[in-house]
Amino acid sequence: MTTQEMNQAFEQAYGRKAEKIFFAPGRVNLIGEHTDYNGGCVFPCALSFGAWLLIAPNADKVLRFKSLNMPQEYSIQLSAISPQPDRAWCNYALGCIDIITRRHPEAKLQSGYDLLYFGNVPAGAGLSSSAAMEVVTARAFTEEMGWTLADDKKYRTELALIGQACEHEYAGVMCGVMDQFASAQGKKDHAIYLNCDTLEFEHVPVKLDGIKVVITNTHSPHHLDSGAYNDRVRQCHTAVEQISKVKPIKFLAELTPEDWEQVEGAITDPIAKKRARHVVGEVARTAQAVEALKQGKIELFGELMTASHVSLRDDYEVTGKELDTLAEAAWQVEGVLGSRMTGGGFGGCTVSLVRDEAIETFKAFVGKEYEEKTGLKADFYVAEIGDGVMRLE
Ligand code: GLA
C-alpha cells in the first residue's frame, strides 16, 4: 500500500486529511535469542515490513483508533487512558501514550487525535508487529506532546524503552528490549549488536555476497502472552537466585561457559538449569557470530545459527514441531549456511542464510517437507534490512 493510498484511507475513515505519517519497522533476529531479558546481547535487524501511523488532532478530547488490518475501532476519552479489556489492539498504542506522560511529565497531550494504523508485518509471525506499532506510536506522540531529544541516538533508545514498558504494562508480556530497540534503531543493510544490560550498541554491516537472509513463516501463530514466555523469564530468575548462593550475579549473561561449569551444580531446579544453560551458551555464540560476520566468516555464522536453534529446541524448549520441521528441513539443503527460529518461538518464523543459487531448491524442499509433516503451508520472504522509525510526511 502506498502512502497516497493510506492518505485516502484516512480521509475515508475520518472525512478529513491526515496531518502526519510515521513508519516503524518489524525485526528479524539473526542470533541471540532469549538473552535480552537476561542482560545479554542480541543481533537483530529492522525489516522493510512495519507499521504506519497517520494522525490528525481533533477538537473532541478523544483518541480514535482505527486500523486497516483490524475491524475493531476504539474511542478513548483523554481522561480515561488505561488498559482496555479483551486484548484490545489499541492497548499497544494507548500504553505508549500513557507511558510517555509518566516517564516525561513535561509531555502534554494538548488535544484528542484521530489515528489510522496500517501494518504489513505478517501477524503472529514473531517479526514484532506489536513492537512496530508501539515504536511508531511512541515516535508520533513524543513529537505531538512536545517531548523529544536533540540527540537522535538517545531519543530512539527512549522510544524503545517506552514501547517495552507498554508491552509490560498494557500487554502483560515481560519482554526484553530487543524488538522495540531494533524497530527504533534499525539501519539499512546493518544488524544491531546490542548489549541489553547497558543499551550500548553497534551497527554491523550485513554484507552477504551471493547469500540472502530468508525468513520462513510457519503460519502457526506464536502466542507470547500465553504465559510460556513469562514462564521462561521466571525460570531464569530462579536460576539467578540459585547461582547467586555460590556466585552473586544479577543476570545469567554475566556467566561465561567456563563460569558455567563452576556454578551449574548450584541450580537444583532441573528446568531452570536447562534454561540457564541455553542463555550462557547463546550469549557466547552471539559474540562469536558477530565476530565471524565482521571477519566475513559466513559459514561459521551459519553454524552458530544452527547451534542456536538446537539449544532453543533442547534446553529452552521454545521451538515446537512447526519450527523444528522448518529448521531441520533447511539444514538438509545444500547451500543453506544455517537456519534457526527467530523471536519468542512457539510458532512464528525461522531465519536462514541461503546461497542465491540454492533459494529455489530451499523453498521447494522445505515447503514440501513442511506441508507433509504438518499439513500447513509455509511462506518465504527474502528479508530486506531497512531503517528504524521515521516520520514520512
Ligand atoms: C520476544 C520478546 C523479545 C525477546 C525475544 C526472544 O520477541 O519480545 O524481547 O525476548 O522474544 O529473544
Side-chain angles (χ1 to χ4, degrees), residues 185-347:
Q185 299 276 16
K187 182 170 171 187
K188 190 169 169 43
D189 298 329
H190 288 71
I192 306 168
Y193 185 32
L194 166 68
N195 177 322
C196 299
D197 179 18
T198 62
L199 299 183
E200 277 161 18
F201 70 100
E202 174 190 354
H203 284 125
V204 179
V206 180
K207 280 187 284 182
L208 300 170
D209 269 348
I211 295 165
K212 297 278 182 303
V213 176
V214 183
I215 297 171
T216 309
N217 191 345
T218 59
H219 284 292
S220 162
H222 76 152
H223 294 291
L224 270 193
D225 48 353
S226 64
Y229 183 92
N230 290 348
D231 286 346
R232 297 301 182 285
V233 177
R234 272 191 295 274
Q235 290 154 356
C236 290
H237 287 164
T238 303
V240 167
E241 268 168 34
Q242 299 189 345
I243 292 168
S244 289
K245 293 189 182 134
V246 294
K247 179 180 167 71
I249 53 166
K250 188 164 159 224
F251 292 121
L252 288 174
E254 290 162 38
L255 301 171
T256 63
E258 295 73 45
D259 295 332
W260 174 249
E261 314 228 314
Q262 310 296 319
V263 302
E264 63 167 318
I267 312 178
T268 52
D269 178 330
I271 300 283
K273 185 183 268 188
K274 287 171 101 177
R275 306 301 187 243
R277 185 162 59 210
H278 163 74
V279 174
V280 174
E282 185 77 354
V283 167
R285 266 190 297 277
T286 305
Q288 213 190 336
V290 173
E291 210 36 52
L293 183 66
K294 286 181 180 171
Q295 293 175 9
K297 295 182 184 159
I298 312 298
E299 281 85 7
L300 176 57
F301 191 93
E303 283 162 25
L304 291 161
M305 287 173 74
T306 295
S308 164
H309 185 92
V310 170
S311 173
L312 288 155
R313 181 190 68 191
D314 299 345
D315 278 343
Y316 222 66
E317 297 177 286
V318 289
T319 56
K321 181 173 179 195
E322 290 83 7
L323 288 166
D324 288 338
T325 303
L326 284 184
E328 287 161 16
W331 300 338
Q332 295 178 50
V333 179
E334 184 156 354
V336 171
L337 284 76
S339 182
R340 58 182 290 277
M341 59 152 273
T342 184
F346 314 107

Side-chain angles (χ1 to χ4, degrees), residues 27 110 117 148 152 155 175 206 208 252 279 285 319 363:
R27 65 94 191 91
Q110 309 281 6
Y117 287 86
T148 58
D152 188 56
Y155 176 45
C175 64
V206 180
L208 300 170
L252 288 174
V279 174
R285 266 190 297 277
T319 56
K363 287 185 186 169

Side-chain angles (χ1 to χ4, degrees), residues 8 19 41 46-47 76 95 103 112 160 195 232 236 283 327 334 337 359 375 380-381:
Q8 282 164 1
E19 243 181 32
C41 290
L47 293 170
I76 313 285
R103 286 175 74 97
N195 177 322
R232 297 301 182 285
C236 290
V283 167
E334 184 156 354
L337 284 76
I359 290 185
F380 299 87
Y381 327 96

